[in-house]
Amino acid sequence: MLERFLIQNQLTLWLMRRTPAAGVRRVIHLAAAVASETGNVRTENQDKAVIVRGKDTKGNEYTLAIVSDGIGGMHDGAGCAATAIGAFV
């Protein structure tokens, strides 16, 4: 149980890291795209997105896409979005 919380905390911290305002990151070969935009009103994009690939207990591969809306303008919206994804994964 403690290990699960450590992984959740590590993932949450990774999602809360400072990222450039624009750019494309390719971590693995995957036929998918995720995009988010700050828009015309906000100065910070608080949305978070993760794509997870893995195998279930029977060895079947799966891909999971998770998007969490940071509710722009709310206090610590980016932290809340990162925490939600960290807890879900």
Side-chain angles (χ1 to χ4, degrees):
M1 184 123 156
L2 179 61
E3 182 178 325
R4 186 177 78 204
F5 289 116
L6 292 174
I7 293 169
Q8 176 183 338
N9 288 339
Q10 288 175 341
L11 182 56
T12 299
L13 290 173
W14 182 80
L15 287 166
M16 291 174 57
R17 77 197 186 289
R18 193 160 196 55
T19 56
V24 175
R25 291 196 179 102
R26 186 178 186 141
V27 179
I28 58 172
H29 176 71
L30 184 64
V34 177
S36 184
E37 182 182 15
T38 305
N40 296 326
V41 178
R42 311 271 184 243
T43 58
E44 174 190 22
N45 188 343
Q46 297 182 344
D47 300 342
K48 301 294 179 187
V50 170
I51 297 176
V52 177
R53 296 180 80 183
K55 292 184 181 182
D56 65 15
T57 56
K58 295 181 181 180
N60 300 313
E61 293 184 5
Y62 64 85
T63 302
L64 176 66
I66 307 162
V67 178
S68 184
D69 189 333
I71 310 172
M74 286 192 67
H75 176 69
D76 203 22
C80 293
T83 300
I85 289 178
F88 184 84
V89 173

XYZ file of all heavy atoms in Angstrom:
662
model
N 0.826 -1.192 0.000
C 0.000 0.000 0.000
C 0.868 1.251 0.000
O 0.592 2.193 -0.716
C -0.915 -0.014 1.218
C -1.848 1.141 1.221
S -3.511 0.514 1.294
C -4.351 1.851 1.976
N 1.927 1.249 0.789
C 2.829 2.392 0.837
C 3.472 2.636 -0.526
O 3.607 3.780 -0.958
C 3.904 2.170 1.899
C 4.941 3.290 2.044
C 4.252 4.598 2.433
C 5.966 2.923 3.098
N 3.811 1.555 -1.225
C 4.422 1.689 -2.554
C 3.476 2.394 -3.521
O 3.893 3.213 -4.317
C 4.791 0.307 -3.095
C 5.468 0.374 -4.451
C 5.858 -1.000 -4.950
O 6.230 -1.846 -4.135
O 5.778 -1.217 -6.168
N 2.171 2.090 -3.437
C 1.186 2.733 -4.310
C 1.175 4.244 -4.086
O 1.123 5.025 -5.023
C -0.200 2.140 -4.070
C -1.225 2.680 -5.060
C -2.561 2.040 -4.876
N -3.208 2.650 -3.725
C -4.144 2.081 -3.002
N -4.553 0.877 -3.278
N -4.693 2.710 -1.986
N 1.245 4.679 -2.836
C 1.240 6.114 -2.542
C 2.534 6.776 -3.007
O 2.532 7.922 -3.432
C 1.001 6.364 -1.058
C -0.409 6.046 -0.642
C -0.651 5.028 0.266
C -1.482 6.736 -1.167
C -1.946 4.716 0.645
C -2.785 6.440 -0.792
C -3.014 5.414 0.118
N 3.669 6.065 -2.923
C 4.932 6.617 -3.411
C 4.888 6.842 -4.914
O 5.322 7.872 -5.409
C 6.096 5.688 -3.042
C 6.419 5.579 -1.552
C 7.499 4.526 -1.312
C 6.849 6.922 -0.996
N 4.333 5.882 -5.646
C 4.199 6.036 -7.096
C 3.260 7.186 -7.416
O 3.526 7.993 -8.308
C 3.719 4.718 -7.735
C 4.813 3.659 -7.604
C 3.322 4.923 -9.191
C 4.377 2.259 -7.960
N 2.152 7.280 -6.695
C 1.202 8.381 -6.906
C 1.890 9.724 -6.688
O 1.741 10.645 -7.484
C 0.020 8.244 -5.965
C -0.958 9.409 -6.055
C -2.084 9.291 -5.047
O -2.387 8.213 -4.571
N -2.698 10.405 -4.722
N 2.664 9.856 -5.610
C 3.362 11.111 -5.326
C 4.398 11.427 -6.388
O 4.533 12.584 -6.799
C 4.010 11.057 -3.943
C 2.989 11.120 -2.836
O 1.874 11.577 -3.029
N 3.363 10.644 -1.671
N 5.137 10.431 -6.846
C 6.145 10.666 -7.883
C 5.488 11.122 -9.177
O 5.964 12.053 -9.830
C 6.964 9.398 -8.131
C 7.910 9.077 -7.002
C 8.611 7.748 -7.211
O 8.186 6.907 -7.987
N 9.714 7.572 -6.504
N 4.394 10.479 -9.564
C 3.694 10.865 -10.780
C 3.109 12.266 -10.648
O 3.202 13.081 -11.570
C 2.595 9.853 -11.105
C 1.793 10.103 -12.376
C 2.713 10.200 -13.589
C 0.775 9.009 -12.580
N 2.538 12.579 -9.503
C 1.975 13.911 -9.275
C 3.056 14.983 -9.382
O 2.868 16.008 -10.040
C 1.291 13.981 -7.902
O 0.229 13.018 -7.872
C 0.718 15.358 -7.632
N 4.209 14.765 -8.768
C 5.311 15.729 -8.856
C 5.801 15.878 -10.286
O 6.112 16.986 -10.737
C 6.462 15.300 -7.937
C 6.179 15.431 -6.441
C 7.317 14.808 -5.627
C 5.978 16.885 -6.060
N 5.877 14.774 -11.018
C 6.323 14.845 -12.411
C 5.340 15.664 -13.240
O 5.745 16.483 -14.062
C 6.466 13.431 -12.988
C 6.954 13.417 -14.392
C 8.243 13.557 -14.819
C 6.165 13.276 -15.573
N 8.291 13.499 -16.187
C 7.035 13.323 -16.667
C 4.794 13.098 -15.792
C 6.584 13.203 -17.984
C 4.344 12.983 -17.098
C 5.244 13.034 -18.178
N 4.047 15.488 -13.018
C 3.041 16.250 -13.757
C 3.057 17.726 -13.400
O 2.641 18.569 -14.190
C 1.648 15.667 -13.495
C 1.361 14.338 -14.180
C 0.127 13.695 -13.581
C 1.198 14.534 -15.676
N 3.533 18.062 -12.207
C 3.560 19.454 -11.765
C 4.849 20.176 -12.163
O 5.017 21.355 -11.888
C 3.362 19.520 -10.249
C 1.962 19.116 -9.838
S 1.714 18.995 -8.059
C 2.164 20.625 -7.523
N 5.768 19.479 -12.863
C 7.026 20.106 -13.252
C 6.764 21.250 -14.224
O 5.730 21.311 -14.863
C 7.963 19.077 -13.882
C 7.586 18.728 -15.304
C 8.234 17.453 -15.759
N 7.979 17.188 -17.154
C 6.830 16.829 -17.673
N 5.768 16.715 -16.913
N 6.710 16.602 -18.966
N 7.703 22.153 -14.291
C 7.586 23.302 -15.198
C 7.802 22.829 -16.622
O 8.770 22.143 -16.918
C 8.630 24.343 -14.832
C 8.414 25.676 -15.478
C 9.178 26.709 -14.664
N 8.876 28.072 -14.853
C 7.701 28.669 -14.750
N 6.638 27.967 -14.512
N 7.560 29.957 -14.898
N 6.890 23.168 -17.508
C 6.981 22.770 -18.901
C 6.923 24.000 -19.795
O 6.366 25.026 -19.410
C 5.834 21.818 -19.281
O 4.584 22.451 -18.990
C 5.918 20.509 -18.509
N 7.496 23.916 -20.998
C 7.459 25.058 -21.908
C 6.028 25.357 -22.365
O 5.177 24.468 -22.359
C 8.332 24.624 -23.082
C 8.471 23.152 -22.973
C 8.222 22.786 -21.547
N 5.796 26.598 -22.742
C 4.460 27.019 -23.169
C 4.020 26.315 -24.447
O 2.842 26.097 -24.668
C 4.437 28.530 -23.368
N 4.948 25.967 -25.306
C 4.604 25.290 -26.557
C 5.659 24.236 -26.845
O 6.800 24.349 -26.424
C 4.549 26.308 -27.694
N 5.268 23.240 -27.559
C 6.224 22.209 -27.924
C 5.551 20.869 -28.099
O 4.407 20.670 -27.721
N 6.293 19.966 -28.674
C 5.801 18.618 -28.907
C 6.765 17.664 -28.243
O 7.974 17.792 -28.366
C 5.718 18.317 -30.416
C 5.317 16.878 -30.657
C 4.747 19.272 -31.093
N 6.232 16.700 -27.524
C 7.064 15.676 -26.890
C 6.632 14.318 -27.403
O 5.448 14.011 -27.412
C 6.900 15.712 -25.379
C 7.495 16.934 -24.776
C 7.650 16.711 -23.273
N 8.245 17.883 -22.725
C 7.572 18.814 -22.073
N 6.297 18.679 -21.875
N 8.184 19.872 -21.605
N 7.584 13.539 -27.799
C 7.291 12.180 -28.235
C 8.092 11.244 -27.356
O 9.321 11.208 -27.432
C 7.655 11.996 -29.698
C 7.244 10.659 -30.211
C 7.587 10.544 -31.678
N 7.029 9.301 -32.143
C 6.472 9.133 -33.303
N 6.408 10.130 -34.138
N 5.995 7.965 -33.652
N 7.409 10.513 -26.531
C 8.073 9.616 -25.600
C 8.135 8.210 -26.175
O 9.144 7.547 -26.126
C 7.351 9.614 -24.237
C 8.015 8.665 -23.272
C 7.304 11.025 -23.665
N 7.032 7.752 -26.731
C 6.954 6.422 -27.316
C 6.201 6.501 -28.630
O 5.495 7.468 -28.901
C 6.216 5.439 -26.368
C 4.811 5.959 -26.065
C 6.998 5.169 -25.115
C 3.938 4.998 -25.303
N 6.356 5.469 -29.456
C 5.593 5.420 -30.701
C 4.141 5.102 -30.365
O 3.843 4.062 -29.800
C 6.161 4.360 -31.641
C 5.343 4.229 -32.885
N 5.333 5.200 -33.853
C 4.493 3.261 -33.288
C 4.509 4.831 -34.828
N 3.993 3.660 -34.506
N 3.258 6.006 -30.680
C 1.851 5.821 -30.386
C 1.049 6.660 -31.366
O 1.341 7.842 -31.553
C 1.547 6.266 -28.945
C 0.140 6.050 -28.422
C -0.179 4.560 -28.357
C -0.005 6.657 -27.040
N 0.071 6.055 -31.989
C -0.758 6.769 -32.957
C -1.819 7.571 -32.205
O -2.989 7.220 -32.177
C -1.396 5.794 -33.929
N -1.393 8.642 -31.550
C -2.308 9.483 -30.780
C -1.701 10.865 -30.635
O -0.497 11.042 -30.791
C -2.560 8.885 -29.399
N -2.532 11.817 -30.346
C -2.058 13.177 -30.104
C -2.887 13.793 -28.978
O -4.068 13.508 -28.842
C -2.191 14.027 -31.362
N -2.229 14.607 -28.181
C -2.898 15.328 -27.097
C -2.475 16.781 -27.205
O -1.304 17.077 -27.365
C -2.489 14.769 -25.715
C -3.137 15.571 -24.605
C -2.864 13.309 -25.599
N -3.434 17.687 -27.140
C -3.110 19.106 -27.232
C -3.950 19.889 -26.229
O -5.057 19.485 -25.877
C -3.361 19.625 -28.641
N -3.403 20.999 -25.790
C -4.102 21.881 -24.877
C -3.578 23.285 -25.110
O -2.422 23.459 -25.491
C -3.859 21.433 -23.429
O -4.597 22.227 -22.552
N -4.413 24.259 -24.907
C -4.003 25.635 -25.175
C -4.401 26.544 -24.028
O -5.451 26.363 -23.409
C -4.661 26.124 -26.471
C -4.248 27.513 -26.856
C -4.944 27.981 -28.118
O -5.923 27.380 -28.540
O -4.503 28.995 -28.662
N -3.562 27.528 -23.746
C -3.844 28.490 -22.685
C -5.042 29.363 -23.046
O -5.835 29.713 -22.194
C -2.606 29.372 -22.431
O -1.512 28.517 -22.149
C -2.835 30.301 -21.281
N -5.154 29.727 -24.303
C -6.254 30.588 -24.743
C -5.873 32.052 -24.665
O -4.708 32.411 -24.497
N -6.864 32.920 -24.770
C -6.621 34.360 -24.817
C -6.703 35.047 -23.461
O -6.311 36.196 -23.325
C -7.629 35.023 -25.763
C -7.451 34.553 -27.181
O -6.335 34.288 -27.618
N -8.550 34.423 -27.913
N -7.225 34.381 -22.452
C -7.462 35.012 -21.155
C -6.420 34.621 -20.118
O -5.930 35.456 -19.381
C -8.881 34.661 -20.635
C -9.130 35.267 -19.270
C -9.941 35.119 -21.629
N -6.065 33.348 -20.066
C -5.166 32.831 -19.028
C -3.691 33.000 -19.403
O -3.334 33.042 -20.574
C -5.426 31.349 -18.789
C -6.888 31.012 -18.585
C -7.271 31.120 -17.141
N -8.651 30.706 -16.981
C -9.612 31.505 -16.549
N -9.356 32.736 -16.209
N -10.837 31.061 -16.426
N -2.848 33.053 -18.397
C -1.399 33.116 -18.626
C -0.741 31.767 -18.350
O 0.422 31.577 -18.654
C -0.744 34.164 -17.701
O -1.028 33.822 -16.338
C -1.262 35.556 -18.006
N -1.500 30.840 -17.767
C -0.960 29.535 -17.411
C -1.940 28.454 -17.843
O -3.145 28.586 -17.661
C -0.768 29.451 -15.891
C -0.357 28.094 -15.402
C -0.412 27.974 -13.876
O -1.127 28.758 -13.225
O 0.251 27.076 -13.365
N -1.421 27.377 -18.432
C -2.254 26.242 -18.787
C -2.196 25.245 -17.638
O -1.139 24.717 -17.327
C -1.767 25.605 -20.084
C -2.715 24.549 -20.580
O -3.560 24.067 -19.839
N -2.580 24.184 -21.832
N -3.316 24.981 -17.007
C -3.350 24.095 -15.851
C -3.832 22.686 -16.200
O -3.931 21.837 -15.331
C -4.248 24.696 -14.763
C -3.732 26.012 -14.240
C -4.590 26.575 -13.126
O -5.733 26.165 -12.916
N -4.052 27.527 -12.404
N -4.112 22.428 -17.470
C -4.552 21.103 -17.893
C -3.388 20.123 -17.850
O -2.237 20.493 -18.058
C -5.106 21.136 -19.314
C -6.293 22.076 -19.452
O -6.887 22.432 -18.433
O -6.610 22.446 -20.602
N -3.683 18.870 -17.577
C -2.674 17.809 -17.558
C -3.211 16.630 -18.356
O -4.412 16.346 -18.333
C -2.361 17.348 -16.133
C -1.854 18.452 -15.223
C -0.510 18.948 -15.666
C -0.038 20.076 -14.762
N 1.174 20.703 -15.243
N -2.325 15.935 -19.061
C -2.718 14.760 -19.833
C -1.597 13.733 -19.784
O -0.419 14.082 -19.757
C -3.001 15.147 -21.275
N -1.986 12.462 -19.745
C -1.031 11.361 -19.682
C -1.563 10.226 -20.547
O -2.767 9.973 -20.584
C -0.870 10.859 -18.226
C -0.080 9.570 -18.175
C -0.207 11.903 -17.365
N -0.657 9.560 -21.240
C -0.996 8.333 -21.952
C -0.154 7.227 -21.340
O 1.067 7.339 -21.244
C -0.745 8.455 -23.461
C -1.645 9.546 -24.051
C -0.992 7.107 -24.145
C -1.428 9.818 -25.506
N -0.816 6.171 -20.882
C -0.151 5.065 -20.205
C -0.330 3.804 -21.034
O -1.436 3.508 -21.477
C -0.769 4.841 -18.798
C -0.131 3.647 -18.113
C -0.665 6.083 -17.952
N 0.770 3.099 -21.263
C 0.697 1.801 -21.936
C 1.141 0.742 -20.946
O 2.069 0.958 -20.177
C 1.589 1.794 -23.160
C 1.127 2.800 -24.207
C 2.002 2.793 -25.410
N 1.602 1.647 -26.229
C 2.218 1.307 -27.348
N 3.264 1.983 -27.757
N 1.808 0.287 -28.044
N 0.467 -0.391 -20.969
C 0.829 -1.450 -20.053
C 0.218 -2.775 -20.452
O -0.335 -2.917 -21.545
N 0.325 -3.727 -19.549
C -0.261 -5.055 -19.753
C -1.061 -5.424 -18.514
O -0.655 -5.134 -17.392
C 0.826 -6.094 -19.980
C 1.558 -5.920 -21.284
C 2.563 -7.034 -21.496
C 3.293 -6.825 -22.809
N 4.238 -7.900 -23.081
N -2.186 -6.087 -18.736
C -2.979 -6.535 -17.606
C -2.417 -7.854 -17.069
O -1.387 -8.339 -17.546
C -4.464 -6.645 -17.981
C -4.752 -7.712 -19.021
O -3.896 -8.585 -19.274
O -5.870 -7.670 -19.587
N -3.085 -8.431 -16.090
C -2.578 -9.639 -15.446
C -2.553 -10.851 -16.381
O -1.851 -11.818 -16.114
C -3.423 -9.996 -14.201
O -4.796 -10.124 -14.604
C -3.299 -8.914 -13.139
N -3.293 -10.793 -17.495
C -3.298 -11.883 -18.475
C -2.315 -11.630 -19.616
O -2.242 -12.408 -20.551
C -4.710 -12.084 -19.031
C -5.697 -12.547 -17.978
C -7.061 -12.766 -18.573
C -8.030 -13.218 -17.481
N -9.360 -13.450 -18.008
N -1.600 -10.509 -19.558
C -0.628 -10.193 -20.593
C -1.184 -9.413 -21.768
O -0.471 -9.158 -22.737
N -2.460 -9.038 -21.714
C -3.060 -8.240 -22.784
C -2.588 -6.794 -22.684
O -2.640 -6.198 -21.610
C -4.591 -8.283 -22.696
C -5.136 -9.686 -22.832
O -4.743 -10.417 -23.721
N -6.035 -10.054 -21.936
N -2.139 -6.239 -23.804
C -1.682 -4.846 -23.812
C -2.874 -3.888 -23.804
O -3.927 -4.186 -24.355
C -0.811 -4.590 -25.044
C 0.496 -5.338 -25.002
C 1.399 -4.994 -26.174
O 1.051 -4.104 -26.971
O 2.450 -5.625 -26.286
N -2.673 -2.736 -23.176
C -3.705 -1.702 -23.183
C -3.047 -0.328 -23.248
O -1.888 -0.164 -22.921
C -4.612 -1.787 -21.953
C -3.904 -1.531 -20.646
C -3.714 -0.238 -20.172
C -3.413 -2.585 -19.878
C -3.062 -0.004 -18.974
C -2.765 -2.368 -18.680
C -2.591 -1.076 -18.236
O -1.942 -0.848 -17.055
N -3.812 0.645 -23.704
C -3.401 2.040 -23.712
C -4.499 2.833 -23.022
O -5.675 2.673 -23.334
C -3.208 2.558 -25.152
O -2.234 1.748 -25.804
C -2.751 4.012 -25.153
N -4.106 3.665 -22.085
C -5.046 4.453 -21.300
C -4.695 5.929 -21.474
O -3.550 6.323 -21.266
C -4.934 4.052 -19.827
C -5.754 4.798 -18.798
C -7.239 4.542 -19.029
C -5.360 4.361 -17.398
N -5.651 6.730 -21.890
C -5.451 8.174 -22.018
C -6.247 8.865 -20.920
O -7.434 8.593 -20.732
C -5.903 8.665 -23.383
N -5.568 9.733 -20.171
C -6.209 10.429 -19.056
C -6.013 11.922 -19.250
O -4.891 12.380 -19.466
C -5.588 10.015 -17.712
C -5.606 8.494 -17.561
C -6.310 10.682 -16.556
C -4.668 7.999 -16.510
N -7.097 12.679 -19.156
C -7.043 14.139 -19.264
C -7.697 14.719 -18.020
O -8.765 14.284 -17.612
C -7.776 14.634 -20.525
C -7.759 16.149 -20.595
C -7.170 14.033 -21.777
N -7.039 15.684 -17.421
C -7.586 16.345 -16.241
C -7.590 17.848 -16.483
O -6.549 18.448 -16.724
C -6.745 15.990 -15.011
O -7.309 16.549 -13.856
N -8.756 18.455 -16.420
C -8.908 19.888 -16.644
C -8.516 20.629 -15.372
O -9.071 20.380 -14.303
C -10.354 20.195 -17.008
C -10.564 21.626 -17.459
O -9.781 22.509 -17.046
O -11.504 21.873 -18.223
N -7.543 21.522 -15.495
C -7.061 22.262 -14.340
C -7.957 23.403 -13.901
O -7.649 24.107 -12.950
N -9.079 23.611 -14.547
C -10.035 24.666 -14.217
C -9.305 26.005 -14.096
O -9.117 26.547 -13.017
C -10.839 24.350 -12.939
C -11.422 22.936 -13.002
C -11.960 25.359 -12.764
C -12.072 22.487 -11.709
N -8.835 26.490 -15.243
C -8.047 27.715 -15.316
C -8.552 28.833 -14.430
O -9.742 29.103 -14.362
N -7.648 29.459 -13.723
C -7.989 30.567 -12.858
C -8.195 30.178 -11.404
O -8.144 31.027 -10.529
N -8.431 28.905 -11.142
C -8.605 28.471 -9.750
C -7.252 28.397 -9.067
O -6.232 28.127 -9.700
C -9.269 27.101 -9.673
C -10.749 27.124 -9.987
S -11.531 25.563 -9.549
C -11.396 25.584 -7.778
N -7.232 28.603 -7.778
C -6.004 28.496 -7.004
C -5.470 27.072 -7.091
O -6.181 26.124 -6.769
C -6.264 28.881 -5.549
C -5.069 28.711 -4.671
N -3.954 29.518 -4.782
C -4.786 27.811 -3.705
C -3.054 29.115 -3.905
N -3.540 28.078 -3.242
N -4.235 26.909 -7.542
C -3.546 25.624 -7.650
C -4.297 24.614 -8.515
O -4.300 23.417 -8.235
C -3.265 25.049 -6.262
C -2.111 24.053 -6.286
O -1.289 24.108 -7.231
O -2.036 23.213 -5.384
N -4.928 25.094 -9.587
C -5.640 24.200 -10.501
C -4.725 23.172 -11.137
O -5.109 22.018 -11.327
N -3.486 23.558 -11.461
C -2.526 22.621 -12.051
C -2.174 21.515 -11.063
O -2.076 20.347 -11.435
C -1.262 23.360 -12.490
N -2.005 21.875 -9.806
C -1.716 20.878 -8.776
C -2.874 19.914 -8.583
O -2.675 18.713 -8.404
N -4.083 20.436 -8.643
C -5.267 19.576 -8.505
C -5.371 18.610 -9.679
O -5.673 17.423 -9.485
C -6.536 20.426 -8.427
S -6.650 21.416 -6.928
N -5.117 19.096 -10.895
C -5.173 18.227 -12.071
C -4.101 17.141 -11.989
O -4.354 15.982 -12.295
C -4.995 19.061 -13.341
N -2.892 17.502 -11.567
C -1.805 16.538 -11.427
C -2.109 15.507 -10.350
O -1.867 14.306 -10.533
C -0.495 17.266 -11.107
N -2.675 15.944 -9.253
C -3.023 15.030 -8.162
C -4.109 14.056 -8.602
O -4.053 12.860 -8.275
C -3.492 15.820 -6.922
O -2.434 16.686 -6.510
C -3.869 14.900 -5.782
N -5.085 14.530 -9.362
C -6.165 13.662 -9.843
C -5.611 12.555 -10.735
O -5.967 11.386 -10.587
C -7.205 14.491 -10.584
N -4.724 12.912 -11.660
C -4.142 11.902 -12.546
C -3.253 10.958 -11.750
O -3.292 9.737 -11.947
C -3.370 12.550 -13.705
C -4.358 13.197 -14.673
C -2.524 11.508 -14.429
C -3.720 13.909 -15.836
N -2.445 11.487 -10.855
C -1.579 10.646 -10.039
C -2.365 9.634 -9.229
O -1.998 8.464 -9.131
N -3.493 10.054 -8.670
C -4.341 9.146 -7.890
C -5.012 8.106 -8.777
O -5.126 6.943 -8.403
C -5.393 9.944 -7.124
N -5.432 8.521 -9.963
C -6.118 7.591 -10.878
C -5.181 6.491 -11.360
O -5.520 5.327 -11.343
C -6.696 8.337 -12.071
C -7.488 7.470 -12.983
C -8.828 7.202 -12.711
C -6.920 6.900 -14.107
C -9.566 6.383 -13.542
C -7.655 6.088 -14.950
C -8.992 5.828 -14.671
N -3.989 6.899 -11.785
C -3.024 5.914 -12.302
C -2.538 5.025 -11.179
O -2.430 3.842 -11.303
C -1.849 6.602 -13.013
C -0.779 5.596 -13.393
C -2.334 7.331 -14.262
